[in-house]
Amino acid sequence: MTQPVTPDLARSFGLSDAEYQRVLAIMGRTPSLTELGIFSVMWSEHCSYKSSRIWLKTLPTTAPWVIHGPGENAGVVDIGEGLAAIFKMESHNHPSFIEPFQGAATGVGGILRDVFTMGARPIANLNALRFGDPSLPVTKRVVDGVVRGIGGYGNCVGVPTVGGETNFHPAYNGNPLVNAMTVGIAAQDKIFLSAAAGLGNPVVYVGSKTGRDGIHGATMASAEFAADSEEKRPTVQVGDPFIEKLLIEACLELMATDAIVAIQDMGAAGLTSSSVEMAGKGGVGIDLDLDAVPQRETGMSAYEMMLSESQERMLIVLNPAREAMARAIFEKWELDFAVIGHITDTGRIVVRHQGRIEADIALQPLADQAPLYERPYSLPTRPAPLSLPADPIGLDAALLRLLACPDLAAKNWIWDQYDATVGGQTIKRPGQADAAIVRIPGTQRALALTTDCTPRYCAADPEQGGAQAIVEAWRNITATGATPLAVTDNLNFGNPEKPAIMGQIVAAIRGMGAACRALDFPIVSGNVSLYNETEGQPILPTPAIGGLGVIDSAAHATGIAPRHGDHLILIGATTGELGQSLWLREILHREDGAPPAIHFAAERANGDFVRAQIHAGHVTACHDISDGGLLIALAEMALAANPVAGLGLTLTHTPLTLPPHAFWFGEDQARYIIATPHPARILAAASAAAIPATQLGHVEPHQHGEAHLTLPDGKAISISALRSANQRFFAEWFA
């Protein structure tokens, strides 16, 4: 690229006229093309969080068990025995629409690097996926490519994909969401940070070679899609999981020595962001010679090399006395190793190429004078409570229809493409528990991991929806017997320059913060993905939450499958909240009313009670109640208990103060189903603790050759009919 730098070019790079004037003021001259590229990506929404930063600072991020909160590559929490869990969630939304396979695959690769760059060995991947209307051919294409991309990368790199969620809604037609989460384990005394230090220390490039893929990927992720979005394929990176596996092993081997001063992955904005952030955090300067950068294409310019988002690359500041040893490690793993610069005391980034200085920028104003907007916002009007509608079809027909809908349909078609057990540490796989359970290697303890969000709640009431995403993650972890520790988030919204969208962001963050404070569940890392719109149509506000908890004995982790002889007890109060429920959407084709209320005191009390009963050994199975309400949760427990056939559930409770459909399909929060062989013990303990508890029925073996879910009115639905309805959607869609 040789065109002159002009205001029009700056606009095409995503800089506003005011931002370009700020660049001119900082530089005191017209920037070079490479300098303009550096400013444009570092000041992009994707890298700078310029619309959300002031609100993100209001979130709770500290606790006695938090070692590193937001600001590093990933969050770090103390999990005992001298170990730390390092985890983060990040988006790859725009690339996954343009090129679904590579967009999703490189999303997995990028979040893996965020975790192992801090010294952690990755032990688990999760994902939160949102797709458009299944009746559209483009949705089928995107789903197929995204799932193959996630499975292809995660399986090949050898990290199990253990959990996640998948939703469908027309609001995601032109803008699917692919949020990837990775969790790793490190020794607390071997955590690596990114702040560069040491005058003269070598700056080393390792990993794969640099190509022209992904140039201006960060800028693309900071703008709305238009009708030509699928023509942006050059901005999508191309991944190689086998190189990533080698890079993990080489970096962890080097991390076992004293060679590393600082380390950073080359993610969004590639060499630009990694070098600028490392030097900026360390308060030093950095001098780069791009002639030394390993390249896989000929004739690459400084602009292209600085902005390329080629995958599987890291930047390291080395102890100079260990350079030869480090080189030997990376050459052993057959990876590129090149000294491309050194640390200076100038406080500037200087980029040289073919004997010319292509960029010379003061780092402090590049960061300190970056845009920070307090954008105007209009808070949405909270919807009125739903007037209870009549039931047009009955409990049995509604149950089968809900189980068959895309949001609740069995996700085996997805899970079966992921290796959930590679590494041998997975204890509870998708569908077996409310949260995935992964053993902490070398111990008897385990981590509970989940992703959660209910976008339809967020669209109706972003503050309640943001809070609900947090409390559901907390409940899912609690239902396994684990203690919730911390959260990572991925805030997916539309164009923040629109006051209504900015109002969604502000309200959702308020709700999230309130829930985190009430539950001692701090947010330690995350990502913001804005401008998720296509031709002016925004996605549903989707603040995806990744939760992490710890359980002292992996052997005691609780799943959702009850056993013969168990009794079923509902913990929590039911008022029959059908506003924004799946029953309302799937049976009456309506999306209205207020979402279910969030009561933090009840969430805390009920969850702590359930966890205590699990720890006391009184609970066989436990399931949080969420999408679809109580009857859906019971059906899921019945299906989990019946890999083929055998156990049925007989429900005996008849609600006296609520219509049956409101009781069984309402989505009231703070509720769990406990399966226990000791119902009197649980009920007595609940009564003593003033916890609402209701006996629902019991588990019994099949009669006359087939197990059934028997409703209080005597209607019996065979488990095979439930399974057939639940598995129909994907089986027919991808027949």
Side-chain angles (χ1 to χ4, degrees), residues 196-204 261 284-287 316-323 339-346:
L199 181 63
N201 279 349
V203 176
V204 178
V261 175
V284 297
I286 190 166
D287 198 306
I316 304 174
V317 178
L318 277 180
N319 177 340
R322 298 292 184 264
E323 182 181 324
V339 177
I340 66 167
H342 61 276
I343 299 301
T344 70
D345 61 0
T346 64

Side-chain angles (χ1 to χ4, degrees), residues 173-190:
N173 281 349
N175 204 127
L177 302 185
V178 176
N179 296 169
M181 176 177 167
T182 292
V183 182
I185 303 293
Q188 290 183 23
D189 60 354
K190 293 293 284 185

Side-chain angles (χ1 to χ4, degrees), residues 196-449:
L199 181 63
N201 279 349
V203 176
V204 178
Y205 170 120
V206 299
S208 193
K209 289 180 168 59
T210 294
R212 291 188 170 95
D213 54 319
I215 293 173
H216 267 299
T219 305
M220 178 194 69
S222 304
E224 294 182 30
F225 272 157
D228 64 351
S229 58
E230 295 194 46
E231 298 174 12
K232 297 182 179 179
R233 293 182 189 275
T235 60
V236 178
Q237 309 92 323
V238 178
D240 186 334
F242 300 104
I243 294 294
E244 182 103 339
K245 174 61 174 173
L246 299 178
L247 188 60
I248 291 172
E249 300 304 330
C251 287
L252 292 178
E253 182 174 339
L254 186 63
M255 287 166 171
T257 73
D258 62 351
I260 295 175
V261 175
I263 184 168
Q264 175 80 37
D265 78 297
M266 294 190 214
L271 187 54
T272 289
S273 63
S274 56
S275 57
V276 167
E277 289 175 6
M278 290 176 79
K281 287 179 181 178
V284 297
I286 190 166
D287 198 306
L288 300 178
D289 179 4
L290 300 188
D291 293 345
V293 170
Q295 300 164 53
R296 68 168 181 258
E297 299 185 45
T298 59
M300 290 191 72
S301 67
Y303 167 87
E304 291 171 324
M305 281 186 274
M306 289 301 292
L307 271 69
S308 168
E309 293 184 9
S310 294
Q311 298 291 284
E312 294 90 36
R313 303 179 300 159
M314 308 286 279
L315 199 63
I316 304 174
V317 178
L318 277 180
N319 177 340
R322 298 292 184 264
E323 182 181 324
M325 177 192 67
R327 182 183 295 275
I329 289 173
F330 281 89
E331 288 179 349
K332 179 186 77 172
W333 289 101
E334 299 182 347
L335 296 168
D336 280 295
F337 178 101
V339 177
I340 66 167
H342 61 276
I343 299 301
T344 70
D345 61 0
T346 64
R348 305 181 71 85
I349 178 171
V350 178
V351 178
R352 307 173 192 275
H353 183 46
Q354 296 181 348
R356 295 180 53 190
I357 294 178
E358 296 284 354
D360 185 352
I361 304 172
L363 289 166
Q364 184 175 1
L366 180 60
D368 294 350
Q369 297 183 41
L372 178 61
Y373 296 124
E374 189 168 353
R375 296 197 186 276
Y377 64 89
S378 57
L379 293 175
T381 301
R382 287 188 159 174
L386 184 75
S387 296
L388 185 64
D391 178 4
I393 64 173
L395 298 184
D396 51 342
L399 174 60
L400 291 169
R401 187 181 297 181
L402 283 169
L403 283 174
C405 80
D407 279 5
L408 293 177
K411 304 302 189 295
N412 305 68
W413 182 88
I414 296 175
W415 298 337
D416 289 349
Q417 296 185 57
Y418 303 157
D419 190 335
T421 60
V422 62
Q425 303 301 321
T426 306
I427 296 169
K428 298 290 186 185
R429 294 182 291 173
Q432 295 182 335
D434 279 353
I437 304 293
V438 181
R439 188 186 307 277
I440 302 169
T443 77
Q444 296 302 309
R445 308 168 81 235
L447 297 178
L449 310 170

Side-chain angles (χ1 to χ4, degrees), residues 604-669:
R604 188 64 183 258
N606 296 356
D608 289 348
F609 174 81
V610 166
R611 195 182 312 106
Q613 297 305 308
I614 292 172
H615 291 177
H618 300 158
V619 177
T620 301
C622 183
H623 196 3
D624 150 65
I625 300 171
S626 55
D627 280 350
L630 176 55
L631 196 53
I632 290 296
L634 287 162
E636 289 170 345
M637 295 177 80
L639 291 171
N642 288 272
V644 181
L647 295 181
L649 306 188
T650 297
L651 305 180
T652 56
H653 176 73
T654 300
L656 300 178
T657 60
L658 287 173
H661 65 293
F663 180 82
W664 293 107
F665 294 114
E667 296 183 6
D668 303 73
Q669 302 292 291

Side-chain angles (χ1 to χ4, degrees), residues 67-143:
I67 297 173
H68 291 289
E72 284 299 331
N73 286 289
V76 185
V77 295
D78 181 350
I79 55 172
E81 300 187 27
L83 299 175
I86 300 179
F87 68 114
K88 187 182 181 183
M89 183 187 284
E90 200 159 75
S91 62
H92 234 221
N93 302 335
H94 285 45
S96 297
F97 181 66
I98 297 169
E99 176 47 65
F101 181 91
Q102 289 295 350
T106 53
V108 174
I111 196 63
L112 282 164
R113 290 193 298 279
D114 277 339
V115 167
F116 76 74
T117 193
M118 296 192 71
R121 177 170 291 280
I123 64 165
N125 288 331
L126 298 90
N127 53 75
L129 311 177
R130 323 284 170 182
F131 300 113
D133 182 348
S135 69
L136 300 179
V138 67
T139 302
K140 186 174 181 179
R141 175 183 69 84
V142 171
V143 170

